[in-house]
Amino acid sequence: MTQAELRLCSLLLQEHFGEIVEKVGTSLLRTGPRPLRLLVGDTGLLPGQVKKALCVLLQHDLARFEAQPRGPVEYEARGRRILRILRYPRYIYTAKTLYGDPGELLVEELLLHGHLAMSCAVARVADRLTDTMEGKGKRSRSCDEEEEEDGQRKAKRQRQEEGGSSEPPPDDGIYWQVNLERFHQHFRDQAVVSAVGSRMDQTSSEVVRTMLRMSEVTTASGASHTQPLSSNEIFRALPAGYNIGKQVLDQYLALLADDPLEFVGKSGDSGGGTYTVNLHKALASLATATLESIVEERFGSRCARIFRLLLRKKHLEQKQVEDFAMIPAKEAKDMLYRMLSENLVSLQEIPKTPDHAPSRTFYLYTVNVAAATRMLLHRCYKSVANLMERRQHETRENKRLLEKSQRVEAILASMQATGAEAAQLREVEEMITGPERQQLESLKRSVNKIDASENQVDETIFVLESFIESTVKRP
């Protein structure tokens, strides 16, 4: 694990679980598998604190343990899984988009607790849905009734969780957790469909979406291709409201198969042939497009032209780059060296003679997409860590004001529940002065921008990670 990844994991653990869990988790990430005794010595914490921290990490699937044949149990942190904490808001939003409020709350509860029995998870979601409906004024009740019902629900939930009831729940010992791989598969499919739509048209993207939907269960998450599908199968699976004929579908499939990006491949001609979505090539295309976009953003359109030229031609000498890109020699040389210094392009030496004399050596510029992707991924991790530290700094600088704002909001909520008059509410609101309100608004805007930036960087991280994983040979 690189230093950038380690720093990001440390920040994520501290933000979500506190300093003690962060110390234990970071120690495991730095040193590798460790028994409890050494872990206590490494962290300087009490044995009880380390045990509780390990329980939290194991509960959330952020660590694992293994009993040694001749020795104590060893604990190991799961760095990749810790980095997924960054993507929690996206998982929750996706669940809400696909399955509405119940799906959102269910995923949120499972992420919040690591894993839960389904009976407990459903009870929690039902309670939250009920509370939301009452908050929206679906039922008007007195405060005493609300407190009584809340107390009853909490007592019932506590009895269920502690096993205090006379009979254990029917699903006792069966625990559920969020399938992150399935979410990642959905994100990947959405990215591929969006890329097809932007390159061709909406109908083409709908055809590819249908193919991916038909293969989402039968295709393994690390597969390079989806399962082969005939045009008849694809035609029958198209959405009911999508009114295109079989002949038109065949034309679109042929167009997709002939496209240079090769998102869709055709195998055989019998029965009209079968079609697959080439997931590896799609991810490679998405990663390459991300690299191109970053080069253009950082170095300008002319550098991007040279970068695309190297991607297409694979290997070029400097003179060839000047000629093909139609850029003056001095300017082309400067751009190539700038990208070379940033590790976006690489230089390959091919000597004509064994003495490696410069005058008898070819110097070829090329783009190593995998290496450039890893370099960019490393920078993305650093960017997210910087954003998180900036948000924490902003929060610390305005801690007193935030605490005052929370107290005022709590007082207002309490007064509104007891039916206070408007004049009394205004008096409480005036406890926060005008300049303080402006400061709070400014802080809110800054934090929102930081959060949005984190989400945007994570989208880039997902594309780059997916491409790198697709290049690794799986057993």
Side-chain angles (χ1 to χ4, degrees), residues 43 59 83 110 169 224 227 283 288 306 338 355 365-366 392 400 459:
T43 58
Q59 171 78 12
L83 290 173
L110 290 175
S224 60
Q227 293 295 322
L283 289 171
T288 303
I306 293 175
R338 284 171 64 193
D355 60 357
Y365 288 94
T366 185
Q392 291 173 3
R400 184 198 62 80
E459 289 180 12

Coordinates of all heavy atoms in Angstrom, one line a residue, residues 43 59 83 110 169 224 227 283 288 306 338 355 365-366 392 400 459:
T43 N 0.8 0.2 19.3 CA -0.1 1.4 19.4 C 0.0 2.1 20.7 O -0.3 3.3 20.8 CB -1.6 0.9 19.3 OG1 -1.9 -0.1 20.3 CG2 -1.8 0.3 17.9
Q59 N -16.3 -6.1 12.8 CA -17.8 -5.9 12.5 C -18.1 -5.2 11.2 O -19.0 -5.6 10.5 CB -18.3 -5.0 13.7 CG -19.8 -4.5 13.5 CD -20.8 -5.6 13.8 OE1 -20.5 -6.7 14.3 NE2 -22.1 -5.4 13.4
L83 N -10.7 1.8 2.0 CA -10.9 2.9 1.0 C -12.3 3.0 0.4 O -12.7 4.0 -0.1 CB -9.9 2.6 -0.2 CG -8.4 2.8 0.1 CD1 -7.6 2.4 -1.1 CD2 -8.1 4.3 0.5
L110 N -27.2 -0.9 7.1 CA -26.2 -2.0 6.9 C -24.7 -1.4 6.9 O -23.8 -2.0 7.5 CB -26.4 -2.8 5.7 CG -27.7 -3.7 5.7 CD1 -27.9 -4.4 4.4 CD2 -27.5 -4.8 6.8
P169 N -35.0 -14.5 17.6 CA -35.7 -14.3 16.3 C -35.4 -15.5 15.4 O -34.4 -16.2 15.5 CB -35.1 -13.0 15.8 CG -33.8 -12.9 16.6 CD -34.0 -13.5 17.9
S224 N -14.0 -10.5 -18.7 CA -13.6 -9.6 -19.7 C -14.8 -9.3 -20.7 O -14.8 -8.3 -21.4 CB -12.4 -10.0 -20.5 OG -12.6 -11.3 -21.1
Q227 N -21.9 -12.6 -21.3 CA -22.3 -13.8 -21.9 C -22.8 -13.5 -23.3 O -23.5 -12.5 -23.5 CB -23.4 -14.5 -21.1 CG -22.9 -15.0 -19.7 CD -21.9 -16.1 -19.9 OE1 -22.0 -17.0 -20.7 NE2 -20.9 -16.1 -19.0
L283 N -13.6 -0.5 -20.4 CA -12.9 0.1 -19.3 C -11.6 0.8 -19.7 O -11.3 1.9 -19.2 CB -12.7 -0.9 -18.2 CG -13.9 -1.4 -17.4 CD1 -13.5 -2.6 -16.5 CD2 -14.5 -0.3 -16.6
T288 N -8.7 5.7 -20.8 CA -7.9 6.5 -21.7 C -8.6 7.9 -21.9 O -7.9 8.9 -22.0 CB -7.8 5.8 -23.1 OG1 -7.2 4.5 -22.9 CG2 -7.0 6.6 -24.1
I306 N -1.1 15.9 -29.0 CA 0.1 15.0 -29.1 C -0.2 13.7 -28.3 O 0.2 12.7 -28.7 CB 1.3 15.8 -28.5 CG1 1.7 17.0 -29.4 CG2 2.4 14.9 -28.2 CD1 2.8 17.8 -28.8
R338 N 7.4 18.3 -20.9 CA 6.5 18.5 -19.8 C 5.7 17.3 -19.4 O 5.5 16.9 -18.2 CB 5.5 19.7 -20.1 CG 6.2 21.0 -20.0 CD 5.3 22.1 -20.6 NE 4.1 22.3 -19.8 CZ 3.0 23.0 -20.2 NH1 3.0 23.5 -21.4 NH2 1.9 23.1 -19.4
D355 N 27.0 -0.1 -28.7 CA 27.6 0.9 -27.9 C 26.6 2.0 -27.4 O 27.0 2.9 -26.6 CB 28.7 1.6 -28.6 CG 28.2 2.3 -29.9 OD1 27.0 2.2 -30.2 OD2 29.1 2.9 -30.6
Y365 N 8.8 8.2 -28.3 CA 7.9 8.5 -27.3 C 6.7 7.6 -27.4 O 6.2 7.2 -28.5 CB 7.4 10.0 -27.4 CG 8.5 11.0 -27.1 CD1 9.3 11.5 -28.1 CD2 8.6 11.4 -25.8 CE1 10.3 12.4 -27.7 CE2 9.6 12.3 -25.4 CZ 10.4 12.8 -26.4 OH 11.4 13.7 -26.1
T366 N 6.2 7.2 -26.2 CA 5.0 6.3 -26.2 C 4.2 6.6 -24.9 O 4.7 7.3 -24.0 CB 5.4 4.8 -26.2 OG1 4.3 4.0 -26.3 CG2 6.2 4.5 -24.9
Q392 N -11.8 19.1 7.5 CA -11.6 19.0 9.0 C -11.1 20.3 9.5 O -11.5 20.8 10.6 CB -10.6 17.9 9.3 CG -11.2 16.5 9.0 CD -10.2 15.4 9.2 OE1 -9.1 15.6 9.6 NE2 -10.6 14.2 8.9
R400 N -16.7 26.5 17.6 CA -17.6 27.2 18.5 C -18.9 27.7 17.9 O -19.9 27.5 18.5 CB -16.8 28.4 19.1 CG -17.6 29.2 20.2 CD -17.0 30.5 20.4 NE -17.1 31.4 19.2 CZ -18.3 32.0 18.9 NH1 -19.4 31.8 19.6 NH2 -18.3 32.7 17.8
E459 N -15.3 9.3 -8.5 CA -15.8 8.8 -9.8 C -14.6 8.5 -10.7 O -14.6 7.5 -11.4 CB -16.7 9.8 -10.4 CG -18.1 9.9 -9.8 CD -19.0 10.9 -10.5 OE1 -18.7 11.3 -11.6 OE2 -20.1 11.2 -9.9

